[in-house]
Amino acid sequence: MKVICIGRNYSDHAKELNNPVPSKPMIFMKPPSALLVNNKPFYYPEFTNDLHYELELVVKICKNGRHIQPSYAHKYYEQVALGIDFTARDLQTECKQKGHPWEIAKGFDGAAPISDFVSLYNLNRTAIEFELHKNGTIVQKGNTKDMIFSIDQIIVYVSKFFKLQMGDIIYTGTPAGVGPVVIGDKLEGFLHTKDEILPMLSVEIK
Ligand code: MG
C-alpha cells in the first residue's frame, strides 16, 4: 500500500510557512513503516530538534483506478481518518535549501500517526471539520471546504501518475497552526460528525 501526502493544500498554511500557493497538487509519499496506529506513543527522534505536528484529514482508497475522471473520483473513497504528518522542520528546511528530496524529514518511522477510519456517511462530505488539541488547547482547526484542491481533484491528479489501489491512503494537507512538540506533549485529533465531536486520535510524545 502507498501513503500519499499532499503538501500546501490550505492557503493559510502555505502562507504561515512563507511558501507560494501551488497551482497543482504537491505530492510526496511516506513509506508504510511511517504509520503509527492504535494511539501508540511517539518517540521523539534524536536527529531533529524541531519536530512539528500537522493534523490532516486522511482518505482511504476503496477501489483500484488509473486516470480517474473527475465525475467518478467520489466513488474511490468511502472512509476517512485523521492523521498527523510529523515533520522534522529543521531537516526539511535543510533539504529544501539544497533542493534535496525531503523523505528523511517526513518519512521516518512513526512520522504518520493515524486513527481508525470512519464512514463518510455521518459526515458533511464537502465540508469536513477537524481540530487538533495540544495538551488540551486547540492549536489547529480545519475544514476541507478550505482546501485548495478538493479530495476529488487530488484523486484525479494523483491517479495520472500512480495507480491507486484499494487500501492506499492519502494525507490531504494541513491547515494553519502547525507548531513544535516537545517530550511530554499530548496531541489529540477530533472530527466533527453531523451530531457530535468525535475523539479520533491521541498521541503522546515520549
Ligand atoms: Mg503535511
Side-chain angles (χ1 to χ4, degrees), residues 192-203:
H192 292 231
T193 71
K194 283 175 185 163
D195 37 43
E196 62 176 334
I197 299 178
L198 201 60
M200 296 282 287
L201 186 64
S202 176
V203 180

Side-chain angles (χ1 to χ4, degrees), residues 5-8 13 28 54 56 85 87 106 171-174:
C5 305
I6 306 300
R8 300 174 199 165
H13 169 63
F28 62 95
E54 297 186 357
E56 311 199 358
D85 169 17
T87 304
K106 280 179 171 282
Y171 280 64
T172 58
T174 196

Side-chain angles (χ1 to χ4, degrees), residues 42-188:
F42 173 85
Y43 291 90
Y44 200 108
E46 39 72 33
F47 49 74
T48 177
N49 293 306
D50 194 22
L51 182 78
H52 279 212
Y53 57 79
E54 297 186 357
L55 183 69
E56 311 199 358
L57 187 88
V58 183
V59 173
K60 186 188 265 182
I61 297 297
C62 64
K63 61 177 185 168
N64 297 352
R66 302 173 65 224
H67 299 287
I68 297 163
Q69 296 305 302
S71 55
Y72 290 99
H74 68 278
K75 296 177 187 278
Y76 286 80
Y77 60 101
E78 293 166 343
Q79 292 185 307
V80 296
L82 290 181
I84 296 174
D85 169 17
F86 270 134
T87 304
R89 198 69 77 198
D90 44 1
L91 285 185
Q92 187 197 28
T93 301
E94 196 183 318
C95 292
K96 280 158 75 175
Q97 280 166 354
K98 292 181 177 164
H100 289 176
W102 65 28
E103 273 81 356
I104 58 166
K106 280 179 171 282
F108 53 84
D109 298 346
I114 190 161
S115 72
D116 289 340
F117 281 82
V118 295
S119 166
L120 278 172
Y121 177 77
N122 214 18
L123 303 174
N124 182 357
R125 198 174 173 116
T126 54
I128 302 170
E129 266 189 274
F130 55 100
E131 60 192 54
L132 183 69
H133 297 196
K134 183 171 109 173
N135 304 328
T137 304
I138 294 193
V139 287
Q140 285 192 287
K141 225 171 170 4
N143 189 320
T144 56
K145 73 175 168 44
D146 299 321
M147 285 176 163
I148 298 169
F149 303 102
S150 68
I151 298 170
D152 287 11
Q153 288 172 317
I154 291 168
I155 285 175
V156 169
Y157 186 76
V158 169
S159 70
K160 289 179 204 249
F161 302 91
F162 305 105
K163 175 185 188 177
L164 288 176
Q165 293 168 295
M166 203 189 298
D168 287 347
I169 59 178
I170 305 177
Y171 280 64
T172 58
T174 196
V178 303
V181 289
V182 293
I183 292 171
D185 281 346
K186 188 177 186 184
L187 299 173
E188 294 169 290

